[in-house]
Amino acid sequence: MPLDALAAVLASEAPAPGGGSASAAVGALGAALLEMVCALTLGKEKYREAEGVLRPAFEELHGLRAVLLAGVDRDSAAYEGVSRAMSMPKGTDAEKEARKVAVQSALRSATDVPLDVARACARALAHAPAVAANGNPNAVTDAGCGARFLHAALNGALYNVAINLASIKDADFVASRSAEAEDLRRAGEGSLAAALSAVDAALSR
Amino acid sequence: MPLDALAAVLASEAPAPGGGSASAAVGALGAALLEMVCALTLGKEKYREAEGVLRPAFEELHGLRAVLLAGVDRDSAAYEGVSRAMSMPKGTDAEKEARKVAVQSALRSATDVPLDVARACARALAHAPAVAANGNPNAVTDAGCGARFLHAALNGALYNVAINLASIKDADFVASRSAEAEDLRRAGEGSLAAALSAVDAALSR
């Protein structure tokens, strides 16, 4: 979908796509910027020493970008799954029970999809400090942009994890996903701080 | 340009589009999410009291989204202007002088375009606290995503302002743009903090 069309459909009254899909999109743009910095560094004699760190980062970032782009549609589909389950009939006790089971199942998907997006953002963001510190210094602000976008996208995805967890009755599911979400959030703070320090150090040189 | 194609061209070795264009894109997605929250609130009897605050916000956000979408291409064009000027001949003293003038002029454009993007992000972000506090509470996490994206985009655009200012010789230009950039950065921190507080308050209700 073209960027302007994506922005237009986000801006509309339709609740999906919403912040979850947009987080996946912003994460994909962040991963792409870190890839660009790697591409402007790898294979250049001048930055030979960066090869060992940036080559594996470049390859992982490429896969993460694809995961994040796929997350744009996956998140909207998961949201629609919840809406569909919510609109199931609730006339009889059997219908009520079937609806409850379907809603809970859809909510688990609508939690796990943004959690996948958050994981991919956190993994991409974990490369940002090394990309900023070892990448082509002419592109260090691009690494800074990439880190900031991934951090925002990570936290955006985690909002969507939290909001769905709030309606899930399975205590074990809630406990495991909450714990992972908190780990990802904390890792993201550390990666962002390290990346921004590396960018600031390069800019003040 | 489709989102996946934009991400692919960002990820490539081509230095433009880079972080400046990506910041404009992320800002547009952020503004769009705040618009969505307004759209899910305005005209609904239940949220009648929000009308006075959110109606003007909605209208301004719509215009800012357009400014930010236009910034995607404007930033790449400004970058290409600098590259073109840099590749001018420098054989004679006259050529050197003409090149210097052209490079300085192109750098001023390459500063003012991301500054326009930063201004639009800061203005959109300034609406985020009211959107989060007064908007449809079912969409409060979308307001949180929008605020985080606009903050990241603002700071991404400001990186591009700073990197171009570093090569500009006109001290008055540098002083005025640096001062405005710092004002925008600071305003953005305040708006983000207020917006995130409003989101957290709504989520813990």
Side-chain angles (χ1 to χ4, degrees):
Chain A
M1 191 186 286
L3 180 69
D4 56 349
L6 175 62
V9 69
L10 279 176
S12 79
E13 212 170 341
S21 290
S23 295
V26 170
L29 297 178
L33 282 173
L34 297 185
E35 281 181 82
M36 178 179 95
V37 181
C38 294
L40 289 166
T41 309
L42 293 168
K44 293 201 162 61
E45 184 53 29
K46 195 172 168 188
Y47 308 119
R48 203 179 50 234
E49 288 180 9
E51 202 80 18
V53 174
L54 295 196
R55 179 70 60 188
F58 186 49
E59 280 161 19
E60 191 181 2
L61 287 164
H62 187 72
L64 292 169
R65 167 160 57 102
V67 169
L68 289 165
L69 282 171
V72 178
D73 289 338
R74 285 183 71 215
D75 194 88
S76 297
Y79 180 90
E80 282 153 13
V82 175
S83 297
R84 225 172 12 248
M86 300 274 272
S87 66
M88 284 170 65
K90 43 183 177 174
T92 66
D93 281 356
E95 282 177 349
K96 277 183 198 155
E97 183 58 26
R99 178 177 175 279
K100 203 172 84 182
V101 169
V103 167
Q104 287 294 309
S105 167
L107 283 168
R108 281 193 294 270
S109 292
T111 303
D112 281 342
V113 170
L115 193 58
D116 284 343
V117 168
R119 275 184 204 120
C121 287
R123 284 174 61 188
L125 183 52
H127 290 298
V131 171
N134 302 286
N136 185 326
N138 297 325
V140 73
T141 58
D142 298 299
C145 289
R148 287 182 179 275
F149 298 168
L150 285 163
H151 177 261
L154 167 61
N155 283 283
L158 291 179
Y159 277 140
N160 287 273
V161 172
I163 202 87
N164 287 303
L165 281 180
S167 304
I168 292 180
K169 313 292 180 199
D170 175 342
D172 290 345
F173 183 95
V174 172
S176 76
R177 269 50 171 193
S178 297
E180 183 176 357
E182 178 55 19
D183 288 347
L184 292 170
R185 192 195 63 73
R186 206 172 298 164
E189 295 304 317
S191 298
L192 178 71
L196 297 189
S197 294
V199 174
D200 289 346
L203 288 179
S204 60
R205 241 174 245 140
Chain B
M1 190 185 288
L3 180 69
D4 55 350
L6 175 63
V9 70
L10 279 177
S12 79
E13 211 171 342
S21 289
S23 295
V26 170
L29 297 178
L33 283 173
L34 297 185
E35 282 181 82
M36 178 179 97
V37 181
C38 294
L40 289 166
T41 309
L42 293 169
K44 294 200 163 62
E45 184 52 28
K46 195 172 168 186
Y47 306 120
R48 202 179 51 234
E49 287 179 10
E51 201 80 18
V53 174
L54 295 195
R55 179 69 61 188
F58 186 49
E59 279 160 20
E60 191 182 3
L61 287 164
H62 187 72
L64 293 169
R65 168 159 57 102
V67 168
L68 289 164
L69 283 171
V72 178
D73 290 338
R74 285 183 71 215
D75 194 87
S76 297
Y79 180 91
E80 281 151 14
V82 175
S83 298
R84 223 169 17 244
M86 300 274 272
S87 66
M88 283 169 68
K90 42 183 176 176
T92 66
D93 281 357
E95 283 176 349
K96 277 183 197 155
E97 184 57 26
R99 178 177 176 278
K100 204 172 83 181
V101 169
V103 167
Q104 288 294 309
S105 167
L107 283 168
R108 282 194 293 271
S109 291
T111 303
D112 280 343
V113 170
L115 194 57
D116 283 343
V117 168
R119 275 185 204 121
C121 287
R123 284 173 62 187
L125 184 51
H127 290 299
V131 172
N134 302 287
N136 186 326
N138 297 325
V140 74
T141 60
D142 298 297
C145 290
R148 287 181 178 277
F149 299 168
L150 285 163
H151 177 261
L154 167 62
N155 283 283
L158 291 179
Y159 276 140
N160 288 273
V161 171
I163 201 87
N164 287 301
L165 281 180
S167 303
I168 293 180
K169 312 294 179 197
D170 175 344
D172 289 345
F173 183 95
V174 173
S176 76
R177 269 50 171 193
S178 298
E180 184 175 357
E182 178 55 20
D183 287 347
L184 291 170
R185 193 196 62 72
R186 205 171 300 166
E189 295 305 316
S191 298
L192 179 70
L196 297 189
S197 294
V199 174
D200 289 346
L203 287 179
S204 62
R205 240 172 248 141

